[in-house]
């Protein structure tokens, strides 16, 4: 196991951005960067033992800063959407940045994604990224100290540990927004890759992609991923939910959530033989099928076309500040918001 630190480049404002390369005994390699505390490469062996980069995104500062759809990055402090671009805590209303259609907030306006975090090697197989935000930035309350630690294990798993503490009561809900393609970056779309999600219900959304508050059974609908099925099988189904979002882009409510680390989803490519198992301590997972990707050039200048990657974003349900029946992610001052998500790989 080893970790190497290099300079990736500089932001437009002249800040240095380091890249950390973790390599384990099997040759699996993960590259992590200080910009967005993100993942820019995961090289895993396929069934023939050949290494494939299973992440879709950028590895240059220009793409990361100017063309990003959150590829590989941490989104937060509140990932996903907040309706109306505001919320209330203890009777005080906090108007937030409205970066989606001028009427709602998505991924906290990109705050965590477009921040240079401070990265530090921990031993020979982990890197911790830290960042303390200013209270009130983008209207969002709380000076939150966030630490995200990535650990690569010898059994080809990448563990993400999140630990956040605010000086005021606030909502805390960060996620990692990696786009995966289990045949490798640049190999086409992900429609034949098979997905299982351990969720009997999901949160339907309105035309603005905001949850209606309902927890709807997946049974008998295109949202039933309880047994493995190709992502593309039902994605063009004419139901209202898929029309609202232009393809899967929904939060699934994980069965049996109790805060312990449980398997949330399994994705497999029959072609490469690579399987990704996602486990998390969190109650939800956003399955986003890359519907908005529109040919923007990524690594090696290869265009990222519609559905060339999928995201499995572990999270509290979207818009929880407006849904009292959803599990709460409102944390008291000084309380640690802790969670863990694991991306484990194998090939057969
Ligand atoms: C999340 C959202 C999607 C989309 C992507 C970024 O996954 O749910 O609707 O906005 O982020 O493009």
């Amino acid at each position: 196991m080893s970790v190497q630190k290099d300079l990736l480049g500089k932001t437009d404002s002249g800040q240095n951005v380091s890249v950390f390369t973790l390599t384990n005994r099997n040759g699996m390699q993960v590259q992590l960067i200080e910009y967005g505390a993100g993942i820019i490469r995961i090289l895993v062996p396929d069934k023939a033992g050949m290494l494939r980069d299973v992440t879709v995104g950028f590895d240059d500062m220009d793409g990361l800063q100017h063309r990003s759809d959150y590829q590989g990055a941490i989104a937060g402090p509140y990932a996903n959407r907040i309706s109306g671009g505001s919320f209330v805590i203890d009777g005080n209303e906090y108007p937030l940045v409205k970066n989606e259609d001028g009427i709602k907030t998505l991924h906290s306006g990109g705050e965590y994604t477009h921040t240079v975090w401070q990265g530090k090697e921990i031993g020979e197989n982990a890197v911790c990224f830290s960042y303390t935000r200013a209270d009130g930035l983008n209207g969002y309350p709380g000076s939150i100290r966030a630490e995200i630690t990535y650990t690569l294990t010898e059994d080809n798993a990448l563990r993400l540990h999140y630990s956040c503490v605010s000086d005021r009561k606030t909502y805390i809900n960060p996620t990692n927004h990696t786009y995966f393609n289990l045949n490798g970056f640049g190999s086409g779309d992900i429609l034949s890759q098979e997905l299982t999600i351990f969720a009997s219900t999901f949160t339907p959304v309105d035309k603005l992609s905001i949850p209606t508050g309902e927890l709807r059974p997946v049974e008998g609908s295109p949202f039933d991923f309880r047994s493995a099925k190709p992502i593309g099988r039902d994605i063009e189904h004419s139901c209202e939910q898929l029309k609202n979002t232009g393809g899967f882009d929904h939060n699934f409510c994980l069965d049996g959530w109790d805060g312990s680390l449980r398997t949330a989803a399994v994705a497999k490519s029959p072609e490469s033989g690579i399987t990704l198992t996602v486990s998390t301590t969190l109650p939800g997972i956003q399955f986003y099928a890359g519907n908005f990707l529109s040919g923007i050039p990524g690594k090696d200048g290869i265009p990222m076309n519609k559905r060339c990657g999928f995201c499995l974003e572990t999270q509290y349900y979207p818009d929880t500040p407006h849904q009292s029946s959803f599990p709460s992610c409102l944390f008291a001052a000084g309380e640690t918001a802790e969670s863990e998500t694991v991306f484990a790989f194998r090939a057969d």
Side-chain angles (χ1 to χ4, degrees):
M1 192 74 81
S2 70
V3 47
Q4 189 188 316
K5 181 179 177 182
D6 298 288
L7 184 69
L8 177 75
K10 280 183 191 295
T11 62
D12 292 350
S13 60
Q15 279 178 284
N16 284 341
V17 174
S18 294
V19 52
F20 296 85
T21 306
L22 301 171
T23 313
N24 74 7
R25 254 187 260 135
N26 314 314
M28 176 173 167
Q29 200 174 79
V30 176
Q31 284 194 312
L32 307 166
I33 55 169
E34 289 179 310
Y35 195 76
I39 300 171
I40 57 166
R41 194 167 276 115
I42 301 180
L43 286 171
V44 283
D46 65 12
K47 63 184 170 193
M50 229 181 64
L51 291 174
R52 301 197 191 206
D53 176 5
V54 294
T55 66
V56 172
F58 306 98
D59 58 5
D60 67 294
M61 285 312 302
D62 194 51
L64 288 158
Q65 288 177 103
H66 304 299
R67 299 193 297 278
S68 168
D69 256 323
Y70 306 91
Q71 280 87 346
I74 300 295
Y78 194 97
N80 215 296
R81 296 185 171 80
I82 295 177
S83 62
S86 78
F87 54 61
V88 173
I89 300 174
D90 292 339
N92 298 312
E93 185 173 356
Y94 297 92
L96 313 172
V97 59
K98 297 187 179 78
N99 64 315
E100 197 172 51
D101 309 327
I103 50 173
K104 53 195 159 142
T105 306
L106 173 65
H107 298 320
S108 299
E111 181 191 329
Y112 276 6
T113 301
H114 293 286
T115 289
V116 179
W117 296 57
Q118 197 183 357
K120 191 168 166 265
E121 304 96 316
I122 312 275
E124 54 174 26
N125 68 338
V127 178
C128 177
F129 294 98
S130 57
Y131 161 61
T132 304
R133 74 187 304 279
D135 181 19
L137 183 62
N138 292 333
Y140 201 97
S143 168
I144 305 170
R145 164 88 183 161
E147 290 185 349
I148 298 168
T149 305
Y150 292 87
T151 306
L152 178 64
T153 69
E154 291 295 8
D155 55 359
N156 291 3
L158 182 64
R159 306 182 81 91
L160 283 69
H161 184 266
Y162 299 76
S163 175
C164 304
V165 186
S166 172
D167 65 343
R168 314 170 54 176
K169 192 195 257 191
T170 197
Y171 291 100
I172 302 180
N173 186 23
T175 194
N176 176 280
H177 203 297
T178 295
Y179 291 69
F180 294 100
N181 183 325
L182 301 180
N183 289 333
F185 177 65
S187 67
D189 67 51
I190 42 80
L191 297 176
S192 62
Q193 298 179 23
E194 296 163 359
L195 181 65
T196 311
I197 307 176
F198 297 95
S200 312
T201 55
F202 74 108
T203 50
V205 293
D206 63 15
K207 288 195 168 57
L208 300 177
S209 280
I210 300 291
T212 59
E214 181 190 350
L215 305 187
R216 187 179 293 175
V218 296
E219 178 111 48
S221 80
F223 292 83
D224 195 345
F225 281 92
R226 290 173 299 171
S227 307
K229 69 169 174 177
I231 290 172
R233 184 180 291 169
D234 296 325
I235 202 166
E236 299 295 351
H237 194 282
S238 60
C239 67
E240 188 204 13
Q241 278 305 307
L242 287 171
K243 268 203 217 134
N244 282 350
T245 48
F248 294 106
D249 187 2
H250 291 77
N251 171 71
F252 287 74
C253 311
L254 296 169
D255 290 337
W257 175 61
D258 60 3
S260 68
L261 189 68
R262 297 167 66 97
T263 307
V266 177
K268 174 167 184 163
S269 162
E271 187 211 309
S272 66
I274 296 173
T275 295
L276 159 67
T277 301
V278 181
S279 310
T280 188
T281 59
L282 292 166
I285 194 164
Q286 183 86 6
F287 165 41
Y288 169 54
N291 313 307
F292 298 136
L293 296 172
S294 59
I296 285 165
K299 288 180 265 194
D300 303 328
I302 299 171
M304 290 183 277
N305 294 321
K306 185 172 176 176
R307 298 184 182 147
C308 71
F310 62 84
C311 303
L312 292 168
E313 305 152 53
T314 56
Q315 61 185 0
Y316 285 88
Y317 307 169
D319 203 28
T320 55
H322 298 116
Q323 298 291 348
S324 54
S325 66
F326 289 178
S328 170
C329 57
L330 182 59
F331 290 87
E335 190 185 354
T336 305
E338 226 173 342
S339 71
E340 184 143 320
T341 291
V342 180
F343 298 133
F345 296 90
R346 62 164 209 274
D348 44 45

